[in-house]
Amino acid sequence: MKKSENVSASGLSACARIVGASEMAGRVRNYIWRDTLLGPIEGWPHALVSSVNLALNSSVAAALYWGPELIFICNDASVRMMGDYLNDFLGLSAEKLWMEHWPNVEQQFRAVLTNGESFTGEGVPFTFKRANPSDEIHFTYSLSPIYDEGSVVGIYRTLDDMTGQVVAMRNLAEANERLRMALTAGCLGVWDWHIHTGIVYADETTAKLYSIDPNEAGTGVSNKLFERMLHLDDIAPLSDAIIGCITTGKEYSVDVRVNRGDGSYRWVRSMGRCVYDKNGHAYRVTGLKSDVTDLRRSESKPQAAQGTLLPIEAWEKLPLHMQSLLRGTLPFLVDSPDQIRLVVVPDVNGTQISLRVAATDLGKAIGKQGRTIRAFRTILQAVNGIGEHRYSIDIESRAASDSNQA
C-alpha cells in the first residue's frame, strides 16, 4: 500500500514530527517545504528533525542551517531578537538571509560545514530593523557542527544579544572621558592609597603636582615618593589628618606645601575619605588633590582685592574643598566670571548650588547638548564620593533670575 504523502517513512505525519506549541513550531509545520531545497517534512532525515525540534524548544535564541545551501530555520527567541529582519525567512539560504553581512561571516560558516570547526563571535555589530527604524545591535553567537553518520550536515547556532553590555561599556568609557576632562579643567587630581601595601595610584594631574612620572603613578608607586616632596613642617599635619580620617570615618581636607622640584613650593589641597572592607577594616584612602597656590595667595590679600567673582557670604556656606573646586572651574565655564552670582541653599538632603551667569554666557556654561554642565556635575559626583554630604548644581541666566526677583 502506498503511504500518504503526509506520512513519513516512520509512520508519523508532518505535524507529529515537529513538536512544540510555539509560534515558530506552528509556522514550520504549516510551511510548504516541498517548494524548498529541503523538500517536504515527511522526507526529512532524523538528524534534521531532531535538530529542528531542539532549536524550536530552546529558551535561548537558537537556529540551524541545513545542507550545503545552509537553509535557515529558527525559534521564537531568534525572531524576537532580530525583529523585522526575519520576515519571510523560512527556507532561505544563509547567503540570502545575511544579505550584505554575508561576506563578513561566510568563511566562518564554511569552516564549520567543511572542517567541523566550532566558532564563537563576540560582540559582533550588525544593523537590523527592530523597534527603531535602524538599530545597531551587538551579538555574541556560536556555530556548532551537526553530524549525521560521521559527516557534517548542518550548523546549530545560538545567539546572545550583547547590545546592553556594549552600550553600557561605551557609555562608561564616555563618562570616564568626561570625568577626566572635567577634572583636568578644574585642576583636580585623583589619588588612591592602598593602606596595607603603601601603594598610591594617581592620575596625571596628581602626579605632576608631586613631580612624579605620570606613567609610574598610574601603575602605582610607594607613598614615600609623595611624602618626600612635602615640606617637612607639613608631613605631621597631613599624617594626623589621614589617621583621623581612618579612625573616625570622616573626610579630611588639609593644605600642604609640595616641592616643585626646583626648591620652590606650591600649595596643594589634599582631600580624602577612608574606604572600609565588609568587616569594617580600613584598606584604602581615596580622594582628590588640587593646586590652591593662587587661592592661598588671594586669601592672604585684603578682601577688597579679591575681585567680585562671587559674594563672600556665599563662599562662607561652602567647605574649603568646594570653594577650591568652584574657583578652579568657573573661569573655564564663562567669558565673564565677574558677572557670576552664587546662591547656596543647604538643606537636610545636601546643598543646592545655583550659578547665575550673564545672559551671553548661558549657552557656553550649559554647553552643546548640555555637555558642559554634565561634565561639571560629574566633578560634583567625584566630590560627593569623598564625603557623606551631597551637592547639586544648576545654571541660569542672571537676567531671568534678576527679573524674577524684581
Side-chain angles (χ1 to χ4, degrees):
M1 178 183 295
K2 183 178 179 182
K3 292 182 178 292
S4 167
E5 63 179 13
N6 291 323
V7 178
S8 68
S10 62
L12 294 177
S13 67
C15 291
R17 299 197 81 191
I18 304 302
V19 299
S22 67
E23 179 181 349
M24 284 307 304
R27 292 182 65 178
V28 170
R29 281 192 290 263
N30 296 325
Y31 192 76
I32 305 176
W33 289 102
R34 66 172 58 88
D35 295 337
T36 72
L37 293 174
L38 294 184
I41 293 177
E42 297 78 29
W44 287 3
H46 178 72
L48 173 56
V49 174
S50 298
S51 300
V52 169
N53 285 329
L54 177 64
L56 290 175
N57 292 280
S58 175
S59 60
V60 302
L64 67 145
Y65 297 85
W66 192 263
E69 297 82 10
L70 297 171
I71 303 302
F72 181 76
I73 301 174
C74 74
N75 65 355
D76 287 13
S78 288
V79 175
R80 289 193 297 269
M81 187 175 295
M82 301 177 73
D84 294 342
Y85 186 79
L86 287 185
N87 281 338
D88 302 321
F89 56 86
L90 281 178
L92 291 181
S93 66
E95 181 176 3
K96 291 182 179 179
L97 176 75
W98 284 82
M99 295 189 295
E100 70 271 17
H101 300 296
W102 180 243
N104 299 326
V105 298
E106 180 180 9
Q107 185 176 358
Q108 303 158 11
F109 278 80
R110 295 303 177 194
V112 178
L113 195 61
T114 305
N115 305 321
E117 299 175 359
S118 296
F119 178 85
T120 299
E122 297 184 357
V124 181
F126 294 105
T127 302
F128 295 129
K129 293 180 179 179
R130 298 205 295 185
N132 295 323
S134 181
D135 287 342
E136 180 183 293
I137 53 180
H138 296 261
F139 290 138
T140 289
Y141 64 92
S142 66
L143 305 175
S144 303
I146 300 173
Y147 285 91
D148 186 18
E149 297 183 356
S151 300
V152 179
V153 291
I155 297 174
Y156 191 83
R157 186 228 68 197
T158 59
L159 201 62
D160 188 14
D161 189 344
M162 302 293 292
T163 306
Q165 294 92 318
V166 171
V167 171
M169 292 177 64
R170 182 186 297 165
N171 290 341
L172 177 60
E174 292 175 354
N176 286 339
E177 179 61 16
R178 288 197 301 269
L179 175 59
R180 185 194 66 79
M181 294 174 64
L183 291 173
T184 300
C187 302
L188 292 169
V190 179
W191 64 280
D192 190 351
W193 175 42
H194 290 225
I195 298 173
H196 297 297
T197 63
I199 299 298
V200 175
Y201 299 88
D203 67 357
E204 182 178 359
T205 299
T206 297
K208 289 182 176 179
L209 288 176
Y210 285 79
S211 301
I212 296 174
D213 186 328
N215 293 326
E216 294 181 4
T219 57
V221 296
S222 170
N223 65 315
K224 297 297 183 183
L225 291 180
F226 288 86
E227 184 177 300
R228 75 182 185 185
M229 301 304 293
L230 296 176
H231 192 286
L232 292 178
D233 293 341
D234 293 336
I235 294 177
L238 177 59
S239 178
D240 292 343
I242 294 177
I243 292 174
C245 166
I246 294 173
T247 55
T248 66
K250 296 181 179 180
E251 65 180 85
Y252 82 89
S253 177
V254 61
D255 293 353
V256 295
R257 286 160 289 183
V258 177
N259 196 318
R260 299 176 185 268
D262 59 3
S264 64
Y265 287 84
R266 62 163 58 93
W267 282 99
V268 172
R269 181 157 294 160
S270 179
M271 303 167 282
R273 67 180 180 93
C274 186
V275 180
Y276 303 87
D277 62 22
K278 62 181 180 180
N279 298 316
H281 300 138
Y283 75 101
R284 289 168 52 212
V285 177
T286 184
L288 304 173
K289 292 184 183 291
S290 63
D291 188 335
V292 293
T293 305
D294 292 339
L295 177 61
R296 296 282 299 208
R297 287 172 180 168
S298 66
E299 289 174 344
S300 67
K301 297 178 182 180
Q303 190 64 44
Q306 292 187 9
T308 58
L309 177 60
L310 295 172
I312 188 63
E313 62 270 15
W315 282 119
E316 292 175 344
K317 296 180 182 180
L318 296 172
L320 290 177
H321 69 278
M322 282 302 300
Q323 294 184 31
S324 176
L325 169 64
L326 291 173
R327 288 186 184 274
T329 54
L330 291 182
F332 294 91
L333 291 179
V334 296
D335 294 323
S336 304
D338 59 318
Q339 296 296 312
I340 295 176
R341 291 297 176 266
L342 178 72
V343 176
V344 178
V345 182
D347 60 36
V348 293
N349 297 318
T351 297
Q352 172 67 38
I353 301 171
S354 178
L355 290 178
R356 298 175 177 175
V357 303
T360 54
D361 277 334
L362 184 61
K364 180 178 180 181
I366 295 175
K368 185 177 181 181
Q369 298 179 341
R371 291 173 183 169
T372 303
I373 185 62
R374 285 205 307 270
F376 196 86
R377 284 171 176 155
T378 303
I379 297 179
L380 284 185
Q381 290 176 5
V383 174
N384 289 339
I386 296 175
E388 298 180 354
H389 197 76
R390 294 293 180 264
Y391 298 91
S392 58
I393 191 166
D394 285 315
I395 297 178
E396 59 182 283
S397 168
R398 280 194 63 190
S401 60
D402 292 346
S403 63
N404 290 336
Q405 292 179 357

